[in-house]
Amino acid sequence: MAIDGLIILDSANVRPIVQTSFRSFPPAYPLLHIDAYSAALGKASRPEDIDPVLLVNLPDAPTACCHLQHGSLIFLCPISGDLDPLYAFAFIRTFLDILIEYFGQDSFDTVHQLLEETLDAGGHPLTTSPNALREIVLPPSLITKVLSVTGVSGLTGPTTNSMSAFASPIPWRRAGVRYNNNEIYFDIVETLDAVVNKSGSIVTSSVLGKIGVNCKLSGTPDILLTLTNVHTITEPSFHPCVRLNRFSQSKALSFVPPDGRFTLMEYRFDPSASKPGAAPALTAAAAAQLQVQVPFILRSTLSITDHGGTFELTFIPRASALDDVAVELYLGAGASSATCSQATGGSEWTYVPARRTLRWSLSPAAAQSSGGRRGASASGGATTLQGTFVSADAHPRPARAAQVSFALPAGALLSALKVDQLKLSGEAYKPYKGVRGRAFGRVEWRVEWQGG
């Protein structure tokens, strides 16, 4: 009952690039899971419509194939037995973070070595700390430099003492770290995911946050970090460096940080946590008020005709300013083109044939509410897009929901979480502290097509 292995595919042709050895399985085992993913991809109208966990019927016993796409790479993780798929997805995410942190260029040998070190023969995650991995598997640039100096060719890497990776008493921090300038940066990122029905009422909404750290501190610093508005966060999860007892007692983060980039903490923002006097049994209207509100309104007038349809979308911002606003509407499997006759407010539109999707991008000025816009009209800062689309199907079946993405201005967070104070002990220097906050949103706004 463990992870069977990991396969990395090229999304362009769904062919394997590199994979673990699958020592305990027959040679055809990884190919059967690749075929299962290819078959599911062929049946789906869009890659995002494939179920994240696929059932693979094998002669001995059925297995599951967990998959995740990042950029042009597809990660397949076969699992068998009574194993929670979330365990496999967590490992894929961790391995992906290692690749992003580890090197900036492609290297087949390096990726294969990382696969062998991060997942043992029994299917259990092994070494996932980038600091320890850098001592075991040298980065591509360092391998090239060593080989060029020694004049040795034809080797995948130099011989190293793998025990040096475990020389430090702290497994996530290597020993002997030194910097000329001691700096630590905190990057707080929050993401709103929400579903809104056609009348504008919130069906569900949630905010997930993450505190990323880029640590460039010498020696072995011991940090005490205090946050404001920490009472509004729930379901926190921490890097292994965080002392859990200290956080449960004082809500302060006490830790010896890894060197370089890492995720210190992940959490969920709960607006009701700031209202301890709220009644335990809430009506539907009261529960909706306690959910995170969507900072805009999307109104639509949509109709389906033979071999096409017409649409009118109106975007009305509620926040004083929004950035990177984009509205996407899938026009159905038979859609061939779209034409927009009116796009007000400095917005731009485009039709994406590969995805059969209409994409509407709003400029920062168009995404401002009337209160934050000079000379705003009485329409309240509304921006409108009108047009038609053509479909090869006699009765088109466009999506019943528009996908809206946006970002809040730099520094604005949905939870108002802030870094209050940082204290460092164990070292004599005073570090520079940098803090940055960003908030993003993904909203599924359900719409209704007339005549469909």
Side-chain angles (χ1 to χ4, degrees):
M1 188 178 69
I3 296 174
D4 298 339
L6 187 65
I7 308 166
I8 303 179
L9 306 178
D10 184 357
S11 62
N13 49 26
V14 197
R15 292 184 178 180
I17 300 174
V18 65
Q19 67 184 40
T20 51
S21 56
F22 289 95
R23 297 185 184 92
S24 304
F25 301 91
Y29 188 78
L31 297 178
L32 293 173
H33 290 80
I34 296 174
D35 292 342
Y37 176 80
S38 300
L41 183 63
K43 295 178 181 178
S45 58
R46 296 180 296 174
E48 52 265 31
D49 293 338
I50 305 176
D51 290 336
V53 181
L54 302 174
L55 177 65
V56 182
N57 290 310
L58 300 180
D60 298 335
T63 64
C65 179
C66 304
H67 62 90
L68 184 148
Q69 183 168 352
H70 180 81
S72 60
L73 298 178
I74 301 171
F75 294 81
L76 302 185
C77 190
I79 59 175
S80 56
D82 189 14
L83 184 69
D84 191 339
L86 292 178
Y87 184 77
F89 284 115
F91 173 73
I92 295 175
R93 287 289 185 185
T94 301
F95 186 75
L96 182 58
D97 291 340
I98 291 171
L99 294 183
I100 295 173
E101 167 70 20
Y102 208 80
F103 54 85
Q105 60 182 12
D106 294 333
S107 175
F108 177 88
D109 293 335
T110 304
V111 175
H112 191 274
Q113 292 177 66
L114 289 174
L115 282 172
E116 294 298 318
E117 293 295 339
T118 54
L119 193 67
D120 65 11
H124 302 283
L126 188 59
T127 305
T128 57
S129 173
N131 285 273
L133 284 170
R134 284 183 177 273
E135 300 291 339
I136 301 172
V137 182
L138 295 183
S141 57
L142 186 55
I143 291 177
T144 304
K145 183 176 180 179
V146 172
L147 292 179
S148 63
V149 171
T150 58
V152 179
S153 61
L155 298 177
T156 58
T159 302
T160 61
N161 181 14
S162 61
M163 293 304 295
S164 64
F166 308 101
S168 171
I170 304 174
W172 55 80
R173 185 173 181 86
R174 57 192 177 94
V177 180
R178 289 289 179 268
Y179 288 99
N180 293 329
N181 298 318
N182 291 286
E183 306 166 333
I184 185 167
Y185 299 93
F186 297 91
D187 196 6
I188 306 176
V189 179
E190 294 181 346
T191 303
L192 167 67
D193 284 291
V195 177
V196 182
N197 63 21
K198 59 184 179 182
S199 62
S201 301
I202 296 177
V203 178
T204 180
S205 67
S206 64
V207 175
L208 299 180
K210 179 174 68 174
I211 302 179
V213 181
N214 187 6
C215 179
K216 299 180 180 180
L217 301 178
S218 304
T220 309
D222 200 319
I223 293 177
L224 179 64
L225 184 70
T226 56
L227 306 171
T228 59
N229 298 318
V230 72
H231 61 279
T232 62
I233 65 175
T234 60
E235 304 177 23
S237 62
F238 304 95
H239 188 276
C241 68
V242 177
R243 300 180 178 96
L244 300 182
N245 290 337
R246 184 65 178 271
F247 181 82
S248 62
Q249 294 171 2
S250 62
K251 300 300 180 183
L253 298 174
S254 176
F255 58 97
V256 176
D259 181 48
R261 298 180 182 274
F262 67 99
T263 299
L264 177 64
M265 175 184 178
E266 293 180 312
Y267 59 90
R268 182 185 297 272
F269 169 53
D270 183 7
S272 63
S274 61
K275 301 179 180 180
L282 299 175
T283 64
Q289 290 297 323
L290 291 178
Q291 297 201 59
V292 180
Q293 299 300 306
V294 175
F296 62 87
I297 298 173
L298 184 66
R299 295 174 180 168
S300 60
T301 302
L302 312 169
S303 63
I304 296 176
T305 59
D306 292 340
H307 296 284
T310 63
F311 54 84
E312 179 178 333
L313 302 173
T314 302
F315 184 91
I316 305 173
R318 286 174 171 171
S320 58
L322 294 174
D323 297 332
D324 303 326
V325 177
V327 181
E328 291 191 351
L329 185 62
Y330 177 64
L331 300 179
S336 58
S337 64
T339 303
C340 294
S341 58
Q342 181 180 3
T344 64
S347 60
E348 297 180 354
W349 69 274
T350 182
Y351 176 71
V352 185
R355 299 169 53 206
R356 297 179 175 86
T357 299
L358 175 72
R359 180 178 175 84
W360 183 29
S361 301
L362 283 77
S363 65
Q368 284 186 4
S369 65
S370 57
R373 190 188 305 182
R374 289 185 178 180
S377 63
S379 61
T383 305
T384 302
L385 179 72
Q386 296 178 354
T388 61
F389 73 95
V390 178
S391 176
D393 297 335
H395 304 285
R397 297 181 60 86
R400 262 52 181 177
Q403 307 297 327
V404 186
S405 61
F406 66 91
L408 295 183
L413 292 174
L414 295 161
S415 67
L417 191 70
K418 294 182 180 180
V419 173
D420 182 26
Q421 190 177 35
L422 184 145
K423 295 182 179 179
L424 185 145
S425 59
E427 299 292 340
Y429 56 82
K430 183 177 181 180
Y432 171 79
K433 176 190 69 176
V435 181
R436 180 177 61 178
R438 287 303 307 270
F440 303 91
R442 298 185 296 260
V443 179
E444 178 182 294
W445 197 291
R446 295 173 180 173
V447 299
E448 182 178 7
W449 291 83
Q450 302 295 329

